[in-house]
């Protein structure tokens, strides 16, 4: 089912989720330290069904590029549906997980397309095998030399994904990593590791002063 509003669209199963409000709330926190510009290249790691993709596509315009990475096949299908109806043809959907190593990983599935599906936390009763790439190799394959802004929201796998970015972190100008310590699951606690890793890489690290939701306390912003 398609849910549309003036500046967005999502394909979702349940009409009970307040998609417009959720999208606008999360987008404001993701972009708390940077507003994408026309011509930017955005890397959206953990794009899900595309909660922010429509806005990212509009912000960078026809001269920009959005690379949407999503591990869950069900979410990726919904994401492709949304991308097919966007005004600008500037979004590439990459269906795989990212981590510190190449190969395959198990994605624990709470529900097809769920934002809670995770390769770290045990959720639901089933899991599926999905391909996993290092971000540095993925960006090399895509011939990407610069990322204006990277958003990462991958349910506890953030630190491993940053390790897989390696020296390609120098290609990223601005980024926001959503850490998942707020869940209380130790397997998803990455906030301190992510902050330390980014600081050690020479980036200026900050957090949101007044987040509008509890998980916003664990959004890490950084820039070169």
């Amino acid at each position: 089912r398609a849910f549309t509003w003036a500046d967005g669209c999502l394909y979702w199963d349940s009409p009970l989720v307040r998609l417009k409000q959720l999208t606008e709330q999360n987008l404001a926190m993701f972009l708390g330290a940077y507003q994408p510009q026309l011509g930017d290249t955005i890397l959206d790691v953990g794009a899900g069904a595309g909660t922010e993709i429509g806005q990212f596509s509009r912000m960078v315009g026809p001269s920009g590029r959005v690379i949407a990475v999503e591990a869950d096949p069900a979410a990726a299908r919904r994401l492709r549906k949304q991308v097919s109806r966007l005004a600008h043809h500037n979004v590439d959907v990459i269906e795989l997980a990212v981590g510190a190593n190449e190969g395959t990983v198990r994605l624990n599935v709470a529900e097809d397309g769920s934002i809670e599906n995770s390769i770290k936390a045990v959720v639901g009763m089933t899991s599926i095998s999905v391909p996993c790439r290092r971000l540095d190799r993925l960006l090399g394959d895509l011939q990407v030399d610069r990322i204006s802004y990277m958003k990462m929201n991958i349910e506890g796998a953030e630190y491993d994904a940053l390790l897989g970015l390696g020296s390609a972190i120098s290609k990223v100008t601005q980024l926001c990593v959503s850490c998942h310590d707020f869940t209380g699951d130790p397997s998803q606690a990455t906030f301190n590791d992510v902050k330390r890793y980014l600081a050690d890489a020479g980036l200026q690290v900050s957090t949101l002063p007044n987040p509008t939701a509890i998980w916003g306390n664990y959004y890490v912003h950084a820039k070169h």
Side-chain angles (χ1 to χ4, degrees), residues 21-218:
Q21 291 86 341
L22 181 63
T23 294
E24 292 175 347
Q25 180 184 48
N26 285 340
L27 188 67
M29 291 192 291
F30 279 124
L31 302 183
Y34 181 73
Q35 288 290 313
Q37 306 295 310
L38 291 175
D40 275 359
T41 295
I42 293 178
L43 176 61
D44 188 348
V45 182
T51 314
E52 291 78 36
I53 287 298
Q55 285 81 353
F56 286 165
S57 174
R58 177 184 56 78
M59 288 174 174
V60 305
S63 62
R65 184 182 186 185
V66 180
I67 302 166
V69 180
E70 174 53 41
D72 178 16
R77 286 193 296 272
R78 295 173 184 170
L79 175 57
R80 289 191 183 96
K81 286 184 179 180
Q82 182 190 167
V83 167
S84 70
R85 61 182 293 170
L86 294 177
H88 305 307
H89 301 291
N90 55 4
V91 179
D92 298 315
V93 178
I94 311 295
E95 187 180 322
L96 47 76
V98 293
N101 301 295
E102 302 267 299
T104 58
V105 293
R106 301 299 297 183
L107 176 69
N108 298 309
V109 179
E111 182 181 352
D112 285 347
S114 171
I115 60 174
E116 297 179 357
N117 295 347
S118 173
I119 64 175
K120 284 293 185 180
V122 177
V123 295
M125 300 296 291
T126 62
S127 66
I128 58 175
S129 179
V130 296
C132 183
R133 298 293 311 277
R134 286 178 57 93
L135 278 172
D136 54 3
R137 296 187 181 180
L138 177 61
L139 293 177
D141 290 346
L142 296 173
Q143 299 183 325
V144 176
D145 295 323
R146 185 178 70 90
I147 298 293
S148 310
Y149 174 74
M150 179 175 75
K151 168 218 147 189
M152 183 178 289
N153 183 16
I154 48 177
E155 306 304 310
E158 303 85 32
Y159 181 60
D160 286 351
L162 289 175
L163 292 178
L165 185 57
S167 62
I169 196 169
S170 63
K171 298 180 178 182
V172 183
T173 304
Q174 302 264 353
L175 61 90
C176 177
V177 180
S178 171
C179 299
H180 287 70
D181 301 55
F182 67 90
T183 68
D185 186 333
S187 69
Q188 293 181 292
T190 62
F191 185 66
N192 290 330
D193 287 337
V194 165
K195 287 199 302 179
R196 182 171 58 252
Y197 179 86
L198 294 172
D200 288 348
L203 281 75
Q204 300 176 41
V205 179
S206 63
T207 54
L208 294 172
N210 298 296
T212 57
I214 185 172
W215 50 86
N217 291 301
Y218 299 98

